[in-house]
Amino acid sequence: MSSKNVVYKKICKDKSVGVYMGKRDFVDHVDSVDPVDGVILVDLEALQGRKVFVSLSCTFRYGRDDMDVMGIAFRRELYLSTRQVYPPLQDREKGIHTKTQAKLLRKLGDNAFPFFFEFPDNLPCSVALQPAPHDVGKQCAVEFDIRVFSAESQDAKVHKRSSVKLLLRKVQYAPESGGVAPCVETTRDFLMSDKPLHVKASLDKEIYYHGEPIKVHVNVTNNSSKSVKNIVISVDQVATVVLYSNDSYVKSVAIEEFGDSVAAGATLQKVYTLLPLLANNRERRGIALDGKLKHEDTNLASSSIIKEGVLKEVLGIMVSYRVMVKLVIGGEVGLEVPFKLMHPKPDAGESESESEPMSMVFQEFKRTYLKGMIGDDEEEEGNVSGGDDMAPKEK
C-alpha cells in the first residue's frame, strides 16, 4: 500500500529553476531547530550558462504607514545564508539526504540538486501583528523564506523572471511536560478597616492549547469593611516588539464582567471560564498572530519560549499571556496570573517507511507580483491546479 506525501513546488517565470520541498513548517525545539531541506530542479537550456543559488532568510518587517520613509517600509534582515547549488561545489552523491530529498532526486532525475540549511537557534518564530481592516501595505511581521535564483554570480543582479521564493514558517509547540500550575494571591489593607481583603487566583495548568477554555479559580475572603462590587476577568496578550523600540502591545483577547459581588465579611469561591480566540478579535489592530502562509487561516500568536542566553533584542516580536483578575471596590484590586498558550505537538509516526513506495502530490504555487511595491520583489502565492512542464510525470 503506497502512501502520499505532499510536496510543495514553485517554478520561476523563465523556467530556469524550480524549488521542491516536503514541508514548509519547521519546528523550534528551543535547543535545536529542524533543518531546512529541499531539491532544486534546473533547466540547463533555460539557464544559458548561469549558476544557481539558494538562500534562506529571516526578515523583520515593520510595515505601518507612519514608519515608512519616502514610501519604503522599514525592514531588517535578521539572517541570510546563501549556497551555490549548480554547478555543485561537491559530489552530491556522497551527501546525506533526507528521505524526501532522496525520493525527489530519484523522481526528478539528473538535473535535480539537493540543498540543506541548519537553522540558527537564536531566531524568532514566525509572528505578525494583525493590521486594521483599512491598513494597506505590509504588516509588522517576522517572515522566513527560501529564495532560488539563477545569475552569473552570487552578487550579480537577479532578474525577477529568474528567481522564485517560497514562504516558510518557524513554529514552536508546547513542551510535553508543563510547569507548575500558576497561582497568585494578594492581600489588600484599607483605611478605616481593621482587617484586610485576601484574593487568590489560580489556573489548572501552566500550558493551554489554542481553542481550549481556560478555567480561573478565584477565592475571595473579604474581612474588610469594603464591598466588592464586581469581578472582571480577562485574558491579556502582551506582544513586545523588541527589535527597534521595545514597545509592548497589551490586548485583552477575552474579557468578561461577571457582576459578582462580595459583601464586607463575606467570602466567594468560584470558577470562571474564558476562551481566547482569534475569531472574536479579527477586526482589532495589533493583535499578534502566528505566522501564516498565503490563503491559510491562522490563530492568536503562540507564547514565545526563549533559549537561555539568547539576546532578546534580535527576536523581533515576543509574545506572552496572562489572566487578569480585577475586583472593583471603588478602585481596583488586581492580580496577574501568567500562563502559556501554544499548539500541542503533532502526533509522531507520520513518517513513512523507507522501503514503502511513495506517490507524491505536488502542490504548485503561481507567482503574482504586487504592483506599486518598492524594494523587495514581494509576491502573492495562490494554490492552482494543473501541472508544469518542469513537473515530474506520474508513472
Side-chain angles (χ1 to χ4, degrees):
M1 179 179 176
S2 64
S3 62
K4 286 187 176 181
N5 275 20
V6 173
V7 174
Y8 301 96
K9 74 167 185 176
K10 202 170 181 186
I11 312 298
C12 71
K13 282 190 173 183
D14 69 5
K15 312 295 184 182
S16 61
V17 292
V19 59
Y20 292 73
M21 299 186 69
K23 61 180 181 179
R24 302 176 73 184
D25 285 349
F26 297 87
V27 181
D28 180 349
H29 305 278
V30 182
D31 291 329
S32 64
V33 185
D34 288 351
V36 178
D37 62 85
V39 169
I40 306 299
L41 184 63
V42 304
D43 185 320
L44 298 181
E45 184 177 348
L47 274 181
Q48 298 179 343
R50 298 191 301 263
K51 297 178 180 179
V52 177
F53 302 89
V54 59
S55 63
L56 170 65
S57 69
C58 173
T59 303
F60 175 82
R61 184 190 306 277
Y62 193 76
R64 235 174 59 183
D65 290 340
D66 57 9
M67 286 292 292
D68 286 358
V69 179
M70 299 178 64
I72 302 176
F74 172 80
R75 66 192 300 274
R76 177 176 170 183
E77 209 159 57
L78 300 181
Y79 177 78
L80 176 65
S81 179
T82 304
R83 311 274 172 80
Q84 180 176 316
V85 177
Y86 178 83
L89 298 179
Q90 59 185 7
D91 188 351
R92 57 184 169 141
E93 298 301 328
K94 295 180 181 179
I96 299 175
H97 303 141
T98 64
K99 292 179 181 179
T100 300
Q101 276 183 320
K103 289 166 185 174
L104 280 168
L105 291 171
R106 288 198 298 268
K107 194 172 187 74
L108 297 175
D110 293 338
N111 291 336
F113 301 87
F115 66 86
F116 187 90
F117 288 98
E118 290 280 3
F119 251 125
D121 59 8
N122 63 343
L123 294 178
C125 286
S126 300
V127 63
L129 298 187
Q130 179 170 257
H134 60 272
D135 286 348
V136 295
K138 285 290 183 179
Q139 60 189 346
C140 179
V142 174
E143 299 175 332
F144 293 84
D145 65 64
I146 280 287
R147 185 182 295 268
V148 181
F149 59 93
S150 59
E152 299 297 331
S153 67
Q154 181 176 329
D155 299 323
K157 182 179 179 180
V158 178
H159 297 283
K160 290 181 179 180
R161 292 181 56 84
S162 303
S163 68
V164 61
K165 182 174 75 172
L166 193 61
L167 292 178
L168 311 178
R169 282 187 298 202
K170 180 170 173 281
V171 299
Q172 284 181 326
Y173 295 118
E176 294 181 359
S177 57
V180 177
C183 178
V184 177
E185 51 189 312
T186 186
T187 299
R188 177 66 61 89
D189 292 304
F190 299 97
L191 291 174
M192 310 300 293
S193 181
D194 294 335
K195 295 182 179 180
L197 168 78
H198 185 80
V199 187
K200 178 180 178 181
S202 61
L203 305 180
D204 293 327
K205 53 186 179 178
E206 182 198 25
I207 299 173
Y208 287 83
Y209 299 147
H210 291 286
E212 182 179 5
I214 298 173
K215 293 184 177 181
V216 186
H217 302 258
V218 177
N219 294 341
V220 181
T221 303
N222 186 10
N223 292 321
S224 74
S225 59
K226 301 284 187 177
S227 293
V228 177
K229 301 175 183 178
N230 196 3
I231 295 179
V232 182
I233 302 181
S234 65
V235 174
D236 289 356
Q237 180 196 76
V238 183
T240 304
V241 184
V242 297
L243 184 64
Y244 66 92
S245 65
N246 216 31
D247 284 348
S248 287
Y249 300 85
V250 180
K251 304 285 184 178
S252 292
V253 291
I255 185 168
E256 294 283 350
E257 292 191 32
F258 293 96
D260 290 330
S261 60
V262 186
T267 61
L268 172 73
Q269 292 187 8
K270 193 168 180 179
V271 179
Y272 301 95
T273 301
L274 287 89
L275 181 59
L277 291 174
L278 174 58
N280 301 326
N281 295 278
R282 288 196 179 275
E283 302 298 316
R284 301 183 60 202
R285 181 181 190 173
I287 296 288
L289 312 177
D290 273 343
K292 68 174 183 176
L293 304 176
K294 301 285 183 174
H295 307 292
E296 288 187 10
D297 205 357
T298 186
N299 46 262
L300 296 172
S302 298
S303 299
S304 304
I305 300 180
I306 308 303
K307 181 179 179 180
E308 187 176 352
V310 171
L311 293 176
K312 295 181 179 180
E313 288 73 15
V314 301
L315 292 177
I317 303 173
M318 294 178 59
V319 178
S320 63
Y321 289 89
R322 66 193 185 194
V323 168
M324 291 290 299
V325 179
K326 295 181 181 178
L327 277 59
V328 180
I329 319 174
E332 288 184 350
V333 176
L335 293 87
E336 297 184 10
V337 188
F339 71 98
K340 293 182 175 65
L341 183 64
M342 305 189 75
H343 287 291
K345 189 175 181 179
D347 291 336
E350 295 180 359
S351 60
E352 57 181 328
S353 168
E354 184 67 44
S355 60
E356 186 177 19
M358 176 175 68
S359 172
M360 288 184 172
V361 178
F362 287 86
Q363 177 66 63
E364 183 182 357
F365 294 92
K366 182 163 85 174
R367 339 176 64 188
T368 304
Y369 294 102
L370 298 179
K371 296 182 179 179
M373 297 298 294
I374 298 178
D376 197 19
D377 54 336
E378 302 303 332
E379 67 208 53
E380 264 187 26
E381 292 177 357
N383 300 348
V384 297
S385 60
D388 191 283
D389 55 9
M390 289 183 74
K393 301 293 188 284
E394 294 287 349
K395 294 182 180 179

